[in-house]
Amino acid sequence: MYTMQTLEFNCVTHVPPNATIFFFTSGVGTVSVSFKAEVVGCAAGRYGGRCEKDCICKNGARCHGFNGACLCSPGWKGVACDIPTPAVFIRVIPQENIYISGNLTIVCTAVNVENISVVTITFRSAYTNMTETLVDDTANTATYQIPFMNSSINGVYLCSVTALDGTTLQDRYVLNVTECPPNRHGEHCEKICDCENGGRCDRWEGCVCVPGWTGAKCNTSCPAGTFGQDCQEHCRCEGTEWCDPVNGTCICREGETCTKTGSSETKPPSGLYALLALFVLPIASMSAVLLRRRKWRHAVEEMGTRVISQNRTKKCTLLLT
């Protein structure tokens, strides 16, 4: 037989970071329940170092948890947010987790605006920069629904409220939705990823595998002789072609004689050879030419010195006779 019991803690005077409650039941034994408690702020309508003070904010205003300052909602002002002021604001539903292929509702609301003439929602495309009117109404709230979002709906949504006296109030919302819902990919997020072995779902590429795995769903280990990201690196092991598909460590199978501590190397990119041919070979050729010229110049200098020496010897011999 189990008994439900509610325990209350004063989170201001005593906050147990880790606690265990023991229940003693005669003839049955002991049952323990562990829990964690974390203070995240004062309750609604309270503020102060110990949440001992009452907020004075009105009309949906938010109260600062430390000093009690009021953050007024649109259409209200003053210390307690109790003074009406004309305003307009635009919001979207949902406010978070907005994805391609999802639904979105845009709401334009006028607050404390008298004698409304027209309420409009316009859209300026981020791609074409063209503007079109989506809603034209006379009520203080106008809504526009987007049933299936794609990249073409990205842009600026402008909410405008015009009174009979010509006063116009505006608010805007910039929409930039680029991501698919979790586990989906494709231009319209119409495909499912279901990546395995730690693979990541990308909108355009689908499953992006971690090193050591390949395949559309990252469910295939790298083929023998390869390893690493996208299996692009090649094993180099003595006595075996097998290596760890993640880091390339050589693996000796039963009955094989190989070097377990052998090393694997990364296959040079194909463009590296082109770079070597383009830069290294011309430099080597130029160096060879310069070396040959230097040897030739040295030989010429030695020959000239020998001729001069011979001429000097002849002149000296002639003078002596």
Side-chain angles (χ1 to χ4, degrees), residues 115-184:
N115 300 321
I116 294 177
S117 172
V118 63
V119 176
T120 61
I121 299 177
T122 57
F123 167 66
R124 186 175 75 248
S125 172
Y127 298 98
T128 64
N129 206 34
M130 297 182 62
T131 301
E132 62 175 317
T133 300
L134 304 177
V135 177
D136 193 340
D137 204 345
T138 57
N140 62 347
T141 298
T143 61
Y144 180 76
Q145 293 185 343
I146 304 174
F148 187 90
M149 286 187 290
N150 54 58
S151 57
S152 66
I153 52 90
N154 287 334
V156 179
Y157 291 81
L158 183 66
C159 170
S160 300
V161 177
T162 303
L164 292 176
D165 61 2
T167 303
T168 299
L169 302 173
Q170 294 181 333
D171 192 19
R172 67 184 58 202
Y173 179 82
V174 179
L175 181 64
N176 183 29
V177 55
T178 59
E179 299 295 328
C180 287
N183 199 40
R184 301 192 73 89

Side-chain angles (χ1 to χ4, degrees), residues 16-31:
N18 293 282
T20 301
I21 306 174
F22 294 94
F23 300 92
F24 296 92
T25 305
S26 175
V28 176
T30 303
V31 179

